[in-house]
């Protein structure tokens, strides 16, 4: 029952709030971007509503306000229940015990949760990269998701703190950025300043990017980083195009270095495309999960990972055996890189830990590795970063023809700009 309408400049929005014509203005997202409810009985459904709006001279475009969901694999529940048992036994043990299960950071060939056989070295090469940098608090990363458990003992020290709001008055926009009480981020699902995670998906993503190296729990790709919690997916894991746009615009305004996006669905949205372009214009990287439907994104586009903006990096999931995960989407023209995304142990809500699988888990590995690069070299042009991520990736036979150049991300190669030989043609 909702559409997004972009008005031409200088047009009065009042005609979008006309009950006699079956339209009511729900929300103004930006100056000229509106969310409008329509009366299905009067308008005859979304297609005819969009056709009518798109034919109006005042309207630049009208499109559906899509529902997006967390990118979640079919095997999710099985693996969580499997691993919660392991977790219970190892909870609160020193970092080394849990670090030993993080095959995505350091694959020994024998350390995949659940006992799968792995391939030693089929990881992001974190140990060698950490010889160069472990990250820096100056790097801000927005996790655009279900929120972050910002009290989690493995994440609390790496949360962004908006000092003006922390030291300011409750209910007042102390820093004047247009958002009230946004101390650690914002919640666009509930329109308040509290991005606490009631689901776990966003918290899991944050832990992979940058759980503290603090002798408890797990370790992130980055030891030091600042997370901005940007919540637009509800505790049930879904959210709308309009809220996604507000999330991206908020993170752009905060001035993050990277936005990590483990969500998708719906069709192509011009309004969302424009929000990603605004982030790109500020030099912000936008990593995005390729999707978990085992399909080819070249022929069946998945959004937001398929938007053709220079800062978008689409991420497929690899396994500890160095194969493409069975659920992972792929695309030799549209997926840029693969990263560990199968049986990934990380942080969950209420201070917990669990192992999940999905391109949702691969994406934060790429986010964290790029975070290391920016910590080491400062802001870089997003397109240059994307090309360097692909060129320095480790060629993996199982990924040939599945991503643009058939590689798994390698943090050490990326930091040192080491470009492996690719002597065989890309099929
Ligand atoms: Ca504020």
């Amino acid at each position: 029952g909702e559409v997004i309408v972009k008005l031409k400049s200088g047009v009065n929005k009042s005609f979008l709030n006309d009950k006699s014509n079956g339209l009511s203005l729900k929300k103004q997202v930006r100056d000229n971007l509106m969310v409008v409810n329509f009366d299905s009985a009067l308008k005859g459904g979304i297609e005819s509503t969009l056709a009518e709006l798109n034919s109006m001279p005042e309207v630049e475009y009208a499109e559906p306000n899509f529902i997006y969901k967390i990118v979640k694999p079919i095997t999710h529940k099985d693996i969580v229940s499997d691993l919660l048992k392991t977790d219970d036994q190892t909870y609160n043990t020193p970092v080394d015990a849990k670090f030993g299960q993080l095959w995505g950071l350091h694959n020994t060939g024998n350390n995949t949760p659940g006992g799968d056989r792995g391939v030693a070295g089929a990881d992001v090469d974190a140990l060698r990269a950490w010889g160069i940098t472990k990250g820096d608090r100056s790097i801000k990363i927005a996790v655009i998701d279900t929120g972050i458990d910002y009290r989690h003992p493995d994440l609390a020290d790496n949360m962004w703190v908006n000092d003006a709001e922390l030291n300011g008055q409750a209910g007042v926009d102390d820093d004047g950025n247009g958002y009230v009480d946004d101390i650690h981020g914002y919640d666009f699902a509930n329109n308040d300043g509290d991005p606490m995670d009631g689901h776990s998906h966003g918290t899991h993503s944050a832990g992979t990017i940058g759980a503290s190296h603090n002798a408890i729990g797990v370790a992130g790709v980055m030891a030091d980083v600042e997370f901005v919690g940007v919540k637009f997916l509800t505790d049930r894991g879904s959210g709308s195009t309009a809220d996604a746009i507000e999330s991206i615009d908020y993170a752009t305004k905060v001035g993050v270095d990277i936005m990590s996006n483990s969500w998708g669905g719906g069709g192509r949205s011009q309004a969302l495309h424009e929000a990603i372009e605004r982030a790109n214009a500020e030099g912000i990287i936008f990593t995005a999960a390729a999707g978990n439907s085992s399909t080819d994104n070249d022929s069946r586009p998945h959004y937001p990972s398929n938007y053709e903006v220079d800062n978008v990096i689409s991420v497929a999931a690899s396994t500890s055996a160095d194969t493409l995960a069975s659920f992972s989407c792929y695309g030799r023209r549209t997926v840029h890189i693969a990263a560990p995304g199968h049986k990934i142990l990380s942080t969950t809500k209420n201070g917990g830990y669990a192992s999940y699988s999905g391109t949702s888990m691969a994406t934060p590995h790429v986010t964290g590795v790029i975070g290391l690069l920016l910590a080491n070299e400062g802001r870089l042009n997003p397109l240059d970063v994307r090309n360097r991520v692909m060129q320095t990736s480790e060629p993996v036979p199982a990924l040939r023809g599945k991503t643009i150049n058939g590689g798994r991300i390698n943090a050490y190669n990326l930091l040192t700009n080491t470009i492996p030989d690719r002597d065989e043609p890309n099929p």
Side-chain angles (χ1 to χ4, degrees), residues 15 47 61 75-76 80 106 122 125 144 159 174 177 189 196 199 228 235 291 296 298 303 320 343 350 427:
F15 75 98
E47 294 303 335
Y61 58 76
T75 51
H76 180 90
V80 172
H106 180 58
D125 216 353
I144 302 181
M159 288 305 302
D174 301 286
N177 68 351
M196 180 51 76
H199 183 286
V228 182
D235 293 349
D296 184 349
D298 291 0
Y303 297 101
S320 62
K343 299 194 175 179
N350 301 326

Side-chain angles (χ1 to χ4, degrees), residues 73-397:
I74 301 155
T75 51
H76 180 90
K77 278 185 182 162
D78 296 345
I79 288 171
V80 172
S81 56
D82 258 17
L83 271 120
L84 283 175
K85 287 175 203 148
T86 314
D87 285 347
D88 288 343
Q89 291 158 14
T90 56
Y91 190 68
N92 280 343
T93 51
V95 65
D96 292 12
K98 276 197 202 294
F99 179 78
Q101 298 177 63
L102 302 181
W103 73 264
L105 302 188
H106 180 58
N107 189 345
T108 65
N110 192 29
N111 63 337
T112 311
D116 298 6
R117 191 174 185 145
V119 172
D123 51 41
V124 305
D125 216 353
L127 297 186
R128 286 206 299 164
W130 290 342
I132 300 167
T133 179
K134 291 185 173 181
D136 194 288
R137 292 283 313 230
S138 68
I139 303 299
K140 284 196 195 72
I141 296 181
V143 178
I144 302 181
D145 208 288
T146 59
I148 298 176
D149 176 4
Y150 48 78
R151 295 195 190 95
H152 196 298
D154 242 345
L155 300 174
D157 290 346
N158 279 342
M159 288 305 302
W160 171 64
V161 177
N162 184 348
D163 289 321
E165 293 287 355
L166 179 70
N167 303 317
Q169 284 179 271
V172 173
D173 178 14
D174 301 286
D175 64 343
N177 68 351
Y179 302 90
V180 172
D181 297 341
D182 53 327
I183 297 173
H184 299 301
Y186 203 80
D187 176 355
F188 291 94
N190 300 296
N191 294 311
D192 62 49
D194 185 2
M196 180 51 76
D197 185 4
H199 183 286
S200 279
H201 191 264
T203 300
H204 200 278
S205 183
T208 295
I209 296 167
S212 294
H213 295 196
N214 57 359
I216 56 161
V218 293
V221 176
M222 304 176 78
D224 300 300
V225 60
E226 280 192 351
F227 294 119
V228 182
V230 184
K231 174 173 177 168
F232 86 100
L233 301 166
T234 63
D235 293 349
R236 296 175 66 187
S238 66
S240 71
T241 303
D243 291 344
I245 290 166
E246 287 192 286
S247 296
I248 293 165
D249 283 342
Y250 172 77
T252 301
K253 191 177 232 181
V254 167
V256 301
D257 298 283
I258 310 173
M259 303 183 192
S260 197
N261 299 276
S262 292
W263 50 276
R268 190 183 182 286
S269 160
Q270 181 61 25
L272 187 57
H273 185 267
E274 288 171 13
I276 297 170
E277 283 183 327
R278 289 190 287 274
N280 184 53
E282 297 298 323
I284 301 167
I285 312 268
F286 189 97
T287 58
N292 291 350
S293 51
S294 314
T295 46
D296 184 349
N297 287 356
D298 291 0
S299 50
R300 288 183 53 186
H302 174 269
Y303 297 101
S305 58
N306 267 61
Y307 286 114
E308 291 180 3
V309 187
D310 289 347
N311 61 343
V312 175
I313 301 179
S314 175
V315 183
S318 64
T319 71
S320 62
D322 225 9
T323 60
L324 181 72
S326 59
F327 53 78
S328 182
C329 289
Y330 52 90
R332 70 184 185 90
R333 288 191 301 274
T334 53
V335 176
H336 300 100
I337 194 74
H342 185 238
K343 299 194 175 179
I344 302 301
L345 182 65
S346 186
T347 46
T348 54
K349 67 178 179 179
N350 301 326
Y353 296 90
S355 173
Y356 294 170
S357 294
T359 53
S360 283
M361 287 70 233
T363 301
H365 278 99
V366 171
T367 304
V369 168
I370 294 172
L372 293 177
L373 175 66
L374 301 187
N376 201 44
E377 297 191 15
R379 274 281 182 102
L380 299 166
N381 174 284
L383 183 59
D384 292 345
V385 170
R386 184 168 81 184
N387 287 333
R388 187 161 154 184
V389 163
M390 288 192 284
Q391 285 164 356
T392 61
S393 67
E394 219 172 310
V396 174

